[in-house]
Amino acid sequence: MQVEQSATAPVMEQPVVDTEGMTEVVPGDALLPALLPDIGSGMISDDAEAARLEATRSEEVGGLLAAIRRLENIVEEETTALATGQKVDFDDFSARKSRSMLEFVRLMRARMHLGGETEITEEIQRLREKLERNRSLLEMHYDAVREVATIIVRAIKEAESDGTYTGRAARDGK
């Protein structure tokens, strides 16, 4: 069996023994493992290591910003199409937004420590504003579709009925 080394190493805790009131150890008692931090791994050894960590952080920030901007572009594209009355493929936009949002959420979860970065916070705020405008236009579009559907349903019902089974109040519009 191989043992992997990591930042923590399992160690068996040893009980503190009170020699004055010594009691016998019960055969069923077991020592519990404890995870102790590897003290040497937390220290930066030199400037090169610090520069490497900064470069990694910069790459993480760049990747997260790129994901946010991709999502922003998709939302902006759909919003523009809705606002200008272009034909909108809602299935396509929905799938693209879902994939992009999934990527964004996964990156944010993996890099929660980047949540305090000013640039990321600003990008997320811009994305939130674009999403709100998109939601507003989608809601307006949905309301219009629902209203047209209601008019069509009413027209179909009126066309199918000859008035035989409706009361006089219904024919008079009351």
Side-chain angles (χ1 to χ4, degrees):
M1 176 172 20
Q2 288 183 321
V3 177
E4 291 183 27
Q5 291 186 0
S6 63
T8 59
V11 177
M12 299 301 283
E13 276 188 356
Q14 299 299 321
V16 177
V17 178
D18 180 13
T19 54
E20 287 184 20
M22 257 190 144
T23 59
E24 250 181 71
V25 176
V26 179
D29 287 351
L31 299 177
L32 299 175
L35 295 177
L36 300 176
D38 183 4
I39 295 173
S41 69
M43 293 187 237
I44 298 175
S45 58
D46 58 356
D47 291 337
E49 181 68 15
R52 187 188 66 74
L53 289 175
E54 184 60 33
T56 300
R57 184 173 183 87
S58 179
E59 288 175 17
E60 289 177 338
V61 169
L64 189 52
L65 287 172
I68 293 169
R69 289 178 183 139
R70 276 191 295 276
L71 180 55
E72 236 178 86
N73 289 337
I74 294 167
V75 170
E76 188 63 30
E77 185 181 338
E78 182 183 41
T79 302
T80 301
L82 287 168
T84 59
Q86 296 174 9
K87 185 175 186 219
V88 178
D89 184 352
F90 290 106
D91 290 335
D92 177 55
F93 277 114
S94 180
R96 290 171 51 203
K97 285 191 295 186
S98 292
R99 280 191 305 268
S100 192
M101 192 64 183
L102 178 63
E103 175 192 22
F104 167 68
V105 168
R106 285 180 175 168
L107 285 171
M108 274 304 290
R109 283 185 183 154
R111 290 159 180 85
M112 286 302 286
H113 62 281
L114 298 177
E117 295 284 333
T118 306
E119 193 174 4
I120 289 176
T121 304
E122 290 170 357
E123 281 294 322
I124 290 174
Q125 184 58 37
R126 262 194 301 280
L127 174 61
R128 179 178 285 145
E129 290 165 4
K130 288 182 180 188
L131 283 168
E132 180 55 34
R133 174 147 165 69
N134 182 261
R135 185 205 58 78
S136 174
L137 286 171
L138 283 169
E139 185 176 9
M140 187 170 54
H141 183 81
Y142 175 75
D143 289 344
V145 168
R146 187 175 51 225
E147 191 171 324
V148 168
T150 302
I151 292 169
I152 292 171
V153 167
R154 189 178 315 129
I156 290 171
K157 283 182 180 179
E158 288 174 3
E160 288 178 347
S161 173
D162 63 359
T164 305
Y165 299 105
T166 57
R168 180 178 169 96
R171 282 193 303 262
D172 294 338
K174 295 181 184 175

